[in-house]
Amino acid sequence: MIIEALIAVTFIAAMVVMLAPDEVAGRLAAVLSLLPVVGSLYMWSGFDATGNALMGGSVAFETKLSWLELGGYTLNWHVGVDGIALPLVVLTTLLSTLAIVSAWTPIDDRQSQFYGLMLFMEANLLGVFTALDFFVWFVFWEAVLLPMYFLIGVWGGPRRKYAAIKFFVYTNIASLAMFIGFIALVFGLGDSVSSLDMPAIAAALRAGELGSLYGIPAATLQSVAFIAMFLGFAVKVPIVPFHTWLPDAHVEAPSPVSVMLAGVLLKMGTYALLRFNFTMMPETATAFAVPIALIAVISVIYGAMLALAQQDLKRIVAYSSVSSMGYVILGLIAYTTYGVGGATFQMIAHGLISGLMFMAVGVIYNATHTRMVGDMSGMADRMPVTTGILIAGAFGYMGLPLMAGFAGEFFIFKGAFASTVTAGMPLYTAAAMFGIVIVAGYLLFAMQRTLFGAFRLETDYEVGPAALHETVPLAVLLVTIIVLGVAPDLFFGMIQDAVNPLLDFGGELS
């Protein structure tokens, strides 16, 4: 029952830190957050499951216990991981620890509450990626929103309340749309399912056991439910045009919170799309292949163009996340081993790279108290280690070979070009590849203006090398990005093994 222990330890750590004095809260939180890291690495080292958890494959570290009856359905405590979920569990624990350490400098008020909420959010994120019963999953899914709302609304910038409320409203409305769509499917399945167990529901839907509901034909019901769930998850990803909450949230959130928002919370949306829409309803997904592929390409290009127009370093990285998530959607709809597998790997790669970028921008802001490109130059002379790691992370975003971002994008492009879900997939893929050129444009422009040239700073602060506790998390992230770029099979092998079964619905693996 290691998953239960992992979640319970993190919840207990959150409560302990909340009760601790501010003077020790940050260090205590960092030490306690190492326990989930050790647990997740133990799970990775002992992982031996095969197949997909929702497709009848073996599930690692599984627990399934009957919980209670609700409305004629059995609710189970059902948790476990397969090759899709485990990498996200490791990502969550690693980024949480590094974000907590990076918060030691900027967070100097109500520290025990801040670090307690960070750990509480981590516990719920672990629940999202390990739950295999919809009720349990949905509780964790919604519980993630609460700490993020307070982390932005209490410790954020001047417009923090606006950003927090906007984040909360957008994501709650999206959750409602998703919930209605899924429950409609459950009711449409009738006696085919007697619980909210996700593997059972996936099996029933893929077997074509969905019936009519209140006179709505099964095919129409499934299409409408698919759209409702897709839109609900699309807000969390986010993809164009549901992205407008993200830049405000990132700009107002403290940098350590932005690390978790971009690195892990956005992956909740793509993970849910893969688990629900693309696993449970593959025929419906392929029927909508053209609009989904178009949305992916638009997100890639439009997100990159928006980033190109920004002067705030945080907004640049925020909009680049919209662009990067477009690649994930393109890989998912390709329905090939490399497409879906690459999309899952890209979730991990982007989580690490975006986390590094937000963390590096935060370190520079701690020293300069500005994020505006026009307010500074020559930062490389004063903060050489931080700027060097920032440059390396930017090249990772651009897809530099031997870094995780290159591996993820290469897998996606290989799988998307080979896809047969629609005749236009090679064209959509080629269009999306142009986004890499725009990414290089805005990142190189921003780095040239801020990092090189003669030193200049519009704010009146002394700038020097960053503290050790600020550079160590950056270095750990950079090393991890390079390791996964050099040896992607550390995760990609288990990802492929979990992805292959969901592609078997009459199509061919590529």
Side-chain angles (χ1 to χ4, degrees):
M1 300 180 72
I2 187 171
I3 293 175
E4 290 85 349
L6 205 65
I7 296 172
V9 164
T10 313
F11 272 128
I12 293 170
M15 291 186 287
V16 169
V17 170
M18 280 205 177
L19 296 174
D22 276 1
E23 293 77 16
V24 301
R27 272 64 177 175
L28 180 62
V31 171
L32 293 177
S33 71
L34 289 173
L35 297 175
V37 175
V38 172
S40 66
L41 292 177
Y42 170 79
M43 291 169 63
W44 172 73
S45 66
F47 180 80
D48 60 356
T50 57
N52 189 289
L54 268 62
M55 300 291 299
S58 61
V59 181
F61 313 108
E62 183 180 20
T63 303
K64 186 176 182 180
L65 300 171
S66 181
W67 185 6
L68 55 90
E69 297 287 332
L70 182 66
Y73 293 93
T74 302
L75 306 183
N76 300 305
W77 172 261
H78 190 187
V79 295
V81 293
D82 58 7
I84 293 172
L86 182 57
L88 290 165
V89 169
V90 177
L91 174 70
T92 301
T93 59
L94 176 63
L95 270 186
S96 295
T97 296
L98 298 178
I100 286 171
V101 174
S102 73
W104 288 356
T105 295
I107 304 302
D108 55 9
D109 182 44
R110 303 173 70 173
Q111 296 178 50
S112 58
Q113 291 94 330
F114 177 87
Y115 293 111
L117 286 171
M118 289 283 282
L119 289 167
F120 181 77
M121 180 169 62
E122 178 187 359
N124 286 293
L125 286 166
L126 293 173
V128 168
F129 296 131
T130 58
L132 294 173
D133 180 274
F134 178 77
F135 180 81
V136 176
W137 177 87
F138 190 71
V139 169
F140 284 125
W141 174 274
E142 289 295 285
V144 169
L145 304 182
L146 295 174
M148 181 57 70
Y149 171 80
F150 288 111
L151 288 167
I152 297 173
V154 176
W155 289 273
R159 300 176 71 242
R160 58 186 179 273
K161 292 182 180 179
Y162 167 78
I165 292 172
K166 189 174 183 179
F167 161 78
F168 199 79
V169 170
Y170 266 65
T171 51
N172 260 292
I173 293 175
S175 292
L176 177 62
M178 173 273 293
F179 183 82
I180 292 173
F182 186 81
I183 293 302
L185 290 175
V186 172
F187 289 167
L189 286 171
D191 295 334
S192 298
V193 293
S194 58
S195 71
L196 296 183
D197 200 49
M198 288 159 57
I201 293 170
L205 286 171
R206 290 178 70 103
E209 296 176 10
L210 185 68
S212 61
L213 181 67
Y214 299 118
I216 303 173
T220 304
L221 175 63
Q222 184 156 308
S223 295
V224 172
F226 181 95
I227 293 171
M229 294 168 67
F230 184 90
L231 295 178
F233 296 137
V235 173
K236 184 76 77 175
V237 173
I239 56 178
V240 177
F242 309 107
H243 65 285
T244 56
W245 64 268
L246 184 66
D248 291 319
H250 272 308
V251 168
E252 299 305 322
S255 293
V257 178
S258 290
V259 170
M260 293 302 295
L261 178 59
V264 186
L265 264 74
L266 303 190
K267 310 309 174 288
M268 290 169 58
T270 48
Y271 172 80
L273 280 172
L274 174 56
R275 283 299 202 201
F276 290 89
N277 291 66
F278 292 94
T279 297
M280 296 184 180
M281 297 174 281
E283 291 88 353
T284 308
T286 54
F288 288 112
V290 171
I292 292 174
L294 282 173
I295 289 172
V297 173
I298 291 170
S299 293
V300 169
I301 303 300
Y302 187 64
M305 293 298 291
L306 286 174
L308 188 63
Q310 305 304 312
Q311 294 296 313
D312 186 315
L313 289 174
K314 257 196 168 185
R315 282 189 176 269
I316 291 173
V317 182
Y319 280 119
S320 68
S321 290
V322 177
S323 181
S324 294
M325 290 298 96
Y327 288 124
V328 174
I329 301 300
L330 184 68
L332 292 178
I333 194 56
Y335 269 106
T336 61
T337 300
Y338 278 99
V340 182
T344 307
F345 188 89
Q346 180 67 359
M347 295 183 207
I348 311 303
H350 177 263
L352 295 169
I353 296 172
S354 63
L356 183 149
M357 295 292 285
F358 275 114
M359 198 178 291
V361 169
V363 172
I364 292 174
Y365 178 79
N366 294 340
T368 64
H369 293 262
T370 182
R371 296 187 304 265
M372 304 308 292
V373 172
D375 286 352
M376 55 184 151
S377 64
M379 296 304 297
D381 289 336
R382 303 296 178 93
M383 306 180 73
V385 175
T386 301
T387 55
I389 294 176
L390 176 60
I391 292 168
F395 277 103
Y397 241 134
M398 297 178 211
L400 184 71
L402 301 183
M403 300 186 83
F406 171 81
E409 290 174 359
F410 174 78
F411 293 148
I412 289 172
F413 294 148
K414 176 179 172 64
F417 269 120
S419 175
T420 58
V421 294
T422 176
M425 278 301 289
L427 179 62
Y428 299 133
T429 307
M433 292 179 73
F434 182 70
I436 298 175
V437 179
I438 307 175
V439 169
Y442 65 70
L443 288 177
L444 290 173
F445 172 77
M447 289 190 297
Q448 178 66 34
R449 295 276 307 273
T450 59
L451 305 183
F452 303 107
F455 177 76
R456 179 182 59 84
L457 182 62
E458 294 296 322
T459 57
D460 188 20
Y461 290 91
E462 289 293 327
V463 178
L468 185 64
H469 69 261
E470 293 179 310
T471 53
V472 167
L474 291 172
V476 171
L477 281 174
L478 180 58
V479 169
T480 307
I481 291 165
I482 294 172
V483 168
L484 282 181
V486 174
D489 268 353
L490 289 172
F491 281 144
F492 194 62
M494 65 175 68
I495 289 172
Q496 280 186 304
D497 189 58
V499 160
N500 283 337
L502 68 88
L503 305 177
D504 185 18
F505 59 97
E508 295 182 359
L509 297 178
S510 300

